[in-house]
PDB file of all heavy atoms in Angstrom:
ATOM      1  N   ALA A 398      15.796 -14.689 -12.594  1.00  0.00           N
ATOM      2  CA  ALA A 398      15.133 -15.921 -12.140  1.00  0.00           C
ATOM      3  C   ALA A 398      13.850 -15.562 -11.388  1.00  0.00           C
ATOM      4  O   ALA A 398      13.884 -14.762 -10.441  1.00  0.00           O
ATOM      5  CB  ALA A 398      16.072 -16.704 -11.233  1.00  0.00           C
ATOM      6  N   HIS A 399      12.749 -16.176 -11.825  1.00  0.00           N
ATOM      7  CA  HIS A 399      11.461 -15.904 -11.185  1.00  0.00           C
ATOM      8  C   HIS A 399      11.429 -16.525  -9.795  1.00  0.00           C
ATOM      9  O   HIS A 399      11.839 -17.676  -9.605  1.00  0.00           O
ATOM     10  CB  HIS A 399      10.352 -16.500 -12.057  1.00  0.00           C
ATOM     11  CG  HIS A 399       8.974 -16.234 -11.539  1.00  0.00           C
ATOM     12  ND1 HIS A 399       8.149 -17.221 -11.082  1.00  0.00           N
ATOM     13  CD2 HIS A 399       8.299 -15.084 -11.394  1.00  0.00           C
ATOM     14  CE1 HIS A 399       7.007 -16.691 -10.687  1.00  0.00           C
ATOM     15  NE2 HIS A 399       7.066 -15.389 -10.860  1.00  0.00           N
ATOM     16  N   VAL A 400      10.955 -15.772  -8.812  1.00  0.00           N
ATOM     17  CA  VAL A 400      10.818 -16.288  -7.445  1.00  0.00           C
ATOM     18  C   VAL A 400       9.353 -16.614  -7.178  1.00  0.00           C
ATOM     19  O   VAL A 400       8.992 -17.745  -6.882  1.00  0.00           O
ATOM     20  CB  VAL A 400      11.353 -15.276  -6.414  1.00  0.00           C
ATOM     21  CG1 VAL A 400      11.109 -15.766  -4.990  1.00  0.00           C
ATOM     22  CG2 VAL A 400      12.834 -14.993  -6.645  1.00  0.00           C
ATOM     23  N   ARG A 401       8.489 -15.627  -7.288  1.00  0.00           N
ATOM     24  CA  ARG A 401       7.049 -15.832  -7.095  1.00  0.00           C
ATOM     25  C   ARG A 401       6.300 -14.566  -7.491  1.00  0.00           C
ATOM     26  O   ARG A 401       6.907 -13.494  -7.606  1.00  0.00           O
ATOM     27  CB  ARG A 401       6.748 -16.175  -5.629  1.00  0.00           C
ATOM     28  CG  ARG A 401       7.161 -15.080  -4.647  1.00  0.00           C
ATOM     29  CD  ARG A 401       7.089 -15.536  -3.208  1.00  0.00           C
ATOM     30  NE  ARG A 401       5.775 -15.318  -2.664  1.00  0.00           N
ATOM     31  CZ  ARG A 401       5.550 -14.943  -1.395  1.00  0.00           C
ATOM     32  NH1 ARG A 401       6.555 -14.756  -0.552  1.00  0.00           N
ATOM     33  NH2 ARG A 401       4.337 -14.758  -0.957  1.00  0.00           N
ATOM     34  N   ASP A 402       4.991 -14.726  -7.688  1.00  0.00           N
ATOM     35  CA  ASP A 402       4.141 -13.560  -7.909  1.00  0.00           C
ATOM     36  C   ASP A 402       3.384 -13.285  -6.620  1.00  0.00           C
ATOM     37  O   ASP A 402       3.039 -14.214  -5.881  1.00  0.00           O
ATOM     38  CB  ASP A 402       3.159 -13.817  -9.061  1.00  0.00           C
ATOM     39  CG  ASP A 402       3.889 -13.928 -10.389  1.00  0.00           C
ATOM     40  OD1 ASP A 402       5.004 -13.372 -10.497  1.00  0.00           O
ATOM     41  OD2 ASP A 402       3.347 -14.570 -11.307  1.00  0.00           O
ATOM     42  N   ILE A 403       3.133 -12.017  -6.348  1.00  0.00           N
ATOM     43  CA  ILE A 403       2.414 -11.631  -5.126  1.00  0.00           C
ATOM     44  C   ILE A 403       1.344 -10.601  -5.476  1.00  0.00           C
ATOM     45  O   ILE A 403       1.236 -10.196  -6.638  1.00  0.00           O
ATOM     46  CB  ILE A 403       3.383 -11.078  -4.043  1.00  0.00           C
ATOM     47  CG1 ILE A 403       4.205  -9.897  -4.600  1.00  0.00           C
ATOM     48  CG2 ILE A 403       4.313 -12.159  -3.526  1.00  0.00           C
ATOM     49  CD1 ILE A 403       5.045  -9.190  -3.533  1.00  0.00           C
ATOM     50  N   ASP A 404       0.618 -10.152  -4.481  1.00  0.00           N
ATOM     51  CA  ASP A 404      -0.403  -9.114  -4.657  1.00  0.00           C
ATOM     52  C   ASP A 404      -1.405  -9.519  -5.749  1.00  0.00           C
ATOM     53  O   ASP A 404      -1.621  -8.781  -6.711  1.00  0.00           O
ATOM     54  CB  ASP A 404       0.283  -7.771  -4.988  1.00  0.00           C
ATOM     55  CG  ASP A 404      -0.678  -6.593  -4.894  1.00  0.00           C
ATOM     56  OD1 ASP A 404      -1.685  -6.695  -4.177  1.00  0.00           O
ATOM     57  OD2 ASP A 404      -0.416  -5.557  -5.549  1.00  0.00           O
ATOM     58  N   SER A 405      -2.006 -10.687  -5.586  1.00  0.00           N
ATOM     59  CA  SER A 405      -2.981 -11.223  -6.546  1.00  0.00           C
ATOM     60  C   SER A 405      -2.431 -11.263  -7.972  1.00  0.00           C
ATOM     61  O   SER A 405      -3.154 -11.017  -8.943  1.00  0.00           O
ATOM     62  CB  SER A 405      -4.272 -10.393  -6.521  1.00  0.00           C
ATOM     63  OG  SER A 405      -4.777 -10.294  -5.227  1.00  0.00           O
ATOM     64  N   GLY A 406      -1.132 -11.530  -8.079  1.00  0.00           N
ATOM     65  CA  GLY A 406      -0.513 -11.653  -9.405  1.00  0.00           C
ATOM     66  C   GLY A 406      -0.174 -10.316 -10.044  1.00  0.00           C
ATOM     67  O   GLY A 406       0.227 -10.267 -11.213  1.00  0.00           O
ATOM     68  N   ALA A 407      -0.289  -9.218  -9.314  1.00  0.00           N
ATOM     69  CA  ALA A 407      -0.008  -7.899  -9.901  1.00  0.00           C
ATOM     70  C   ALA A 407       1.484  -7.563  -9.860  1.00  0.00           C
ATOM     71  O   ALA A 407       1.956  -6.724 -10.619  1.00  0.00           O
ATOM     72  CB  ALA A 407      -0.803  -6.820  -9.173  1.00  0.00           C
ATOM     73  N   LEU A 408       2.207  -8.225  -8.948  1.00  0.00           N
ATOM     74  CA  LEU A 408       3.648  -7.957  -8.815  1.00  0.00           C
ATOM     75  C   LEU A 408       4.428  -9.247  -8.954  1.00  0.00           C
ATOM     76  O   LEU A 408       3.948 -10.314  -8.546  1.00  0.00           O
ATOM     77  CB  LEU A 408       3.950  -7.345  -7.434  1.00  0.00           C
ATOM     78  CG  LEU A 408       3.287  -6.009  -7.111  1.00  0.00           C
ATOM     79  CD1 LEU A 408       3.562  -5.626  -5.658  1.00  0.00           C
ATOM     80  CD2 LEU A 408       3.783  -4.910  -8.047  1.00  0.00           C
ATOM     81  N   THR A 409       5.631  -9.140  -9.511  1.00  0.00           N
ATOM     82  CA  THR A 409       6.473 -10.320  -9.619  1.00  0.00           C
ATOM     83  C   THR A 409       7.788 -10.080  -8.879  1.00  0.00           C
ATOM     84  O   THR A 409       8.339  -8.981  -8.904  1.00  0.00           O
ATOM     85  CB  THR A 409       6.687 -10.717 -11.108  1.00  0.00           C
ATOM     86  OG1 THR A 409       7.228 -12.021 -11.168  1.00  0.00           O
ATOM     87  CG2 THR A 409       7.600  -9.768 -11.859  1.00  0.00           C
ATOM     88  N   VAL A 410       8.246 -11.135  -8.188  1.00  0.00           N
ATOM     89  CA  VAL A 410       9.497 -11.078  -7.431  1.00  0.00           C
ATOM     90  C   VAL A 410      10.523 -11.893  -8.207  1.00  0.00           C
ATOM     91  O   VAL A 410      10.260 -13.050  -8.542  1.00  0.00           O
ATOM     92  CB  VAL A 410       9.323 -11.699  -6.021  1.00  0.00           C
ATOM     93  CG1 VAL A 410      10.600 -11.557  -5.202  1.00  0.00           C
ATOM     94  CG2 VAL A 410       8.134 -11.074  -5.291  1.00  0.00           C
TER      95      VAL A 410
END
Side-chain angles (χ1 to χ4, degrees):
H399 183 246
V400 176
R401 61 190 272 216
D402 292 336
I403 56 172
D404 192 24
S405 306
L408 299 174
T409 194
V410 184

